[in-house]
Amino acid sequence: HVQLVESGGGSVQAGGSLTLACAASGYSLNAYEKNCIAWFRQAPMHEREGVASVTVDGTTTYADSVQGRFFISQDADKSTLFLQMDDLKPEDTGMYYCGAGRDVPTIPPVGCDVGYWGQGTQVTVS
C-alpha cells in the first residue's frame, strides 16, 4: 500500500522561502529503473501542473516557471522527498502534491506519469 504524506506548506510573503516534505511509505524509487517521484501544484481554477521531478538515476527536471528558484531533493534512504522553494511569488500559490509513478520524458513539463498521489499541502504567497 503506497502512502505519500506532504507537509511544510503555509503562508509566506513574496520573496520568502518554504521547504515542503513528502514522506513515502510502501514505495521505493529504486524498486524499478523507470520510477520517478515529483512535485505538482494546482492553483484555483487551474489544472494540476508538474513542478519538479527526480528519477532513479538522480536526474532532476523543473518546470520553466520555477527553474532556479525551486530545488528537489531526497534524504539518504530516499524515503522522503523535499522541495526547497526560494524567492516565492504570488503565482506560486496553490495546493502542492507529491506524486510517484513512471518516468515518461515526453510528458511535459517534468516527465513523470503519476500513479500515486498524496493529499496535498497548501502554499499561499502574498
Side-chain angles (χ1 to χ4, degrees), residues 4-90:
L4 304 172
V5 180
E6 301 94 335
S7 61
S11 296
V12 64
Q13 291 188 336
S17 298
L18 281 174
T19 299
L20 307 182
C22 170
S25 60
Y27 177 84
S28 172
L29 183 64
N30 291 335
Y32 177 56
E33 63 181 1
K34 293 295 186 183
N35 277 353
C36 67
I37 192 164
W39 287 99
F40 289 73
R41 68 185 179 189
Q42 187 167 16
M45 307 298 289
H46 286 75
E47 293 186 355
R48 191 173 299 186
E49 62 177 359
V51 173
S53 68
V54 60
T55 60
V56 172
D57 66 0
T59 300
T60 56
T61 305
Y62 296 93
D64 289 344
S65 59
V66 306
Q67 185 77 43
R69 301 188 297 120
F70 289 15
F71 303 94
I72 191 170
S73 63
Q74 294 179 280
D75 62 356
D77 63 3
K78 298 188 178 181
S79 64
T80 304
L81 182 73
F82 300 98
L83 185 69
Q84 171 70 36
M85 306 185 294
D86 297 325
D87 189 23
L88 282 161
K89 303 177 181 180

